[in-house]
Coordinates of all heavy atoms in Angstrom, one line a residue:
I42 N 0.4 2.8 -7.9 CA -0.4 1.8 -7.2 C -0.3 0.4 -7.8 O -0.2 -0.6 -7.1 CB -1.9 2.2 -7.1 CG1 -2.0 3.4 -6.1 CG2 -2.8 1.1 -6.5 CD1 -3.3 4.1 -6.2
A43 N -0.2 0.3 -9.1 CA 0.0 -1.0 -9.8 C 1.3 -1.7 -9.5 O 1.4 -2.9 -9.7 CB -0.2 -0.8 -11.3
T44 N 2.3 -0.9 -9.0 CA 3.6 -1.6 -8.7 C 3.6 -2.2 -7.3 O 4.5 -3.0 -7.0 CB 4.7 -0.5 -8.7 OG1 4.5 0.4 -7.6 CG2 4.8 0.2 -10.0
H45 N 2.6 -2.0 -6.5 CA 2.6 -2.4 -5.1 C 2.5 -4.0 -4.9 O 3.3 -4.6 -4.2 CB 1.6 -1.8 -4.2 CG 1.7 -0.3 -4.2 ND1 0.8 0.5 -3.7 CD2 2.7 0.5 -4.6 CE1 1.2 1.8 -3.7 NE2 2.4 1.8 -4.3
R46 N 1.6 -4.6 -5.6 CA 1.4 -6.0 -5.5 C 2.6 -6.8 -6.0 O 3.2 -7.6 -5.3 CB 0.1 -6.5 -6.2 CG -0.1 -8.0 -6.0 CD -1.5 -8.5 -6.3 NE -2.5 -7.9 -5.4 CZ -2.7 -8.3 -4.1 NH1 -2.0 -9.2 -3.6 NH2 -3.6 -7.7 -3.4
P47 N 3.2 -6.4 -7.2 CA 4.4 -7.1 -7.7 C 5.6 -6.9 -6.7 O 6.4 -7.9 -6.5 CB 4.7 -6.5 -9.0 CG 3.4 -6.0 -9.5 CD 2.6 -5.6 -8.3
M48 N 5.7 -5.7 -6.1 CA 6.7 -5.5 -5.1 C 6.6 -6.4 -4.0 O 7.6 -7.0 -3.5 CB 6.7 -4.0 -4.7 CG 7.7 -3.6 -3.7 SD 7.5 -1.9 -3.2 CE 8.8 -1.6 -2.2
R49 N 5.4 -6.6 -3.5 CA 5.1 -7.4 -2.3 C 5.4 -8.9 -2.7 O 6.0 -9.6 -2.0 CB 3.7 -7.2 -1.9 CG 3.2 -8.2 -0.8 CD 3.9 -7.9 0.5 NE 3.4 -8.8 1.5 CZ 3.6 -8.7 2.8 NH1 4.2 -7.7 3.3 NH2 3.1 -9.6 3.6
E50 N 4.9 -9.3 -3.8 CA 5.0 -10.7 -4.3 C 6.4 -11.1 -4.5 O 6.7 -12.3 -4.4 CB 4.1 -11.0 -5.5 CG 2.6 -10.9 -5.1 CD 1.6 -11.0 -6.3 OE1 2.1 -11.0 -7.4 OE2 0.4 -11.2 -6.0
S51 N 7.2 -10.2 -4.9 CA 8.7 -10.5 -5.2 C 9.5 -10.5 -3.9 O 10.6 -10.9 -3.9 CB 9.2 -9.5 -6.2 OG 9.4 -8.2 -5.6
G52 N 8.9 -10.0 -2.8 CA 9.6 -10.0 -1.6 C 10.4 -8.7 -1.4 O 11.2 -8.6 -0.4
E53 N 10.3 -7.7 -2.3 CA 11.1 -6.5 -2.3 C 10.6 -5.6 -1.2 O 11.3 -4.7 -0.7 CB 11.0 -5.8 -3.6 CG 11.7 -6.5 -4.7 CD 11.5 -5.8 -6.1 OE1 11.6 -4.6 -6.1 OE2 11.1 -6.5 -7.0
G54 N 9.3 -5.7 -0.8 CA 8.8 -4.8 0.3 C 7.3 -4.6 0.1 O 6.6 -5.3 -0.6
L55 N 6.8 -3.6 0.8 CA 5.4 -3.3 0.7 C 5.2 -1.8 0.9 O 6.0 -1.1 1.5 CB 4.6 -4.0 1.8 CG 4.9 -3.6 3.3 CD1 3.6 -3.9 4.0 CD2 6.0 -4.4 3.9
V56 N 4.1 -1.3 0.3 CA 3.6 0.0 0.4 C 2.2 0.0 0.8 O 1.4 -0.8 0.2 CB 3.7 0.8 -1.0 CG1 3.2 2.2 -0.8 CG2 5.2 0.8 -1.5
L57 N 1.8 0.8 1.8 CA 0.5 0.8 2.3 C -0.1 2.2 2.4 O 0.7 3.1 2.7 CB 0.4 0.1 3.7 CG 0.9 -1.3 3.8 CD1 1.1 -1.8 5.2 CD2 0.0 -2.2 3.1
A58 N -1.4 2.3 2.3 CA -2.1 3.6 2.5 C -2.2 3.8 4.0 O -2.6 2.9 4.7 CB -3.4 3.6 1.8
M59 N -2.0 5.0 4.5 CA -2.3 5.5 5.8 C -3.7 6.0 5.7 O -4.0 7.0 4.9 CB -1.4 6.7 6.3 CG -0.1 6.4 6.7 SD 0.7 7.9 7.3 CE 2.3 7.7 6.7
T60 N -4.6 5.4 6.4 CA -6.0 5.9 6.3 C -6.6 6.1 7.7 O -6.2 5.5 8.7 CB -6.9 4.8 5.6 OG1 -7.0 3.7 6.4 CG2 -6.4 4.5 4.2
T61 N -7.6 7.1 7.7 CA -8.4 7.3 8.9 C -9.8 7.1 8.6 O -10.2 7.1 7.4 CB -8.2 8.8 9.5 OG1 -8.9 9.7 8.5 CG2 -6.8 9.2 9.7
V62 N -10.6 6.8 9.6 CA -12.1 6.6 9.4 C -12.7 7.8 8.8 O -13.5 7.7 7.9 CB -12.8 6.3 10.8 CG1 -14.3 6.2 10.6 CG2 -12.2 4.9 11.3
D63 N -12.4 9.0 9.2 CA -13.0 10.2 8.8 C -12.5 10.8 7.4 O -13.3 11.3 6.6 CB -12.9 11.4 9.8 CG -13.6 11.1 11.1 OD1 -14.6 10.3 11.0 OD2 -13.2 11.6 12.1
D64 N -11.2 10.6 7.2 CA -10.6 11.2 6.0 C -10.2 10.3 4.9 O -9.8 10.7 3.8 CB -9.4 12.1 6.4 CG -9.8 13.2 7.3 OD1 -10.7 14.0 7.0 OD2 -9.2 13.3 8.4
G65 N -10.2 9.0 5.1 CA -9.7 8.1 4.1 C -8.2 8.1 4.1 O -7.5 8.2 5.1
V66 N -7.7 8.1 2.8 CA -6.2 8.2 2.7 C -5.6 9.5 3.1 O -6.1 10.6 2.6 CB -5.8 7.9 1.2 CG1 -4.3 8.0 1.0 CG2 -6.3 6.5 0.8
V67 N -4.6 9.5 4.0 CA -4.0 10.7 4.4 C -2.5 10.7 4.1 O -1.8 11.7 4.2 CB -4.1 10.9 6.0 CG1 -5.6 11.1 6.3 CG2 -3.5 9.8 6.8

């Protein structure tokens, strides 16, 4: 998880959580 912001800020890409209202992260 700590790698996600630097990846985004460098322009290399992005990683996102898939979440639902009932279950949270899926």
Side-chain angles (χ1 to χ4, degrees):
I42 291 168
T44 67
H45 298 170
R46 183 163 298 283
M48 181 183 182
R49 174 69 181 195
E50 289 175 352
S51 70
E53 295 173 45
L55 68 150
V56 178
L57 300 170
M59 284 184 215
T60 67
T61 69
V62 171
D63 293 334
D64 297 308
V66 174
V67 299

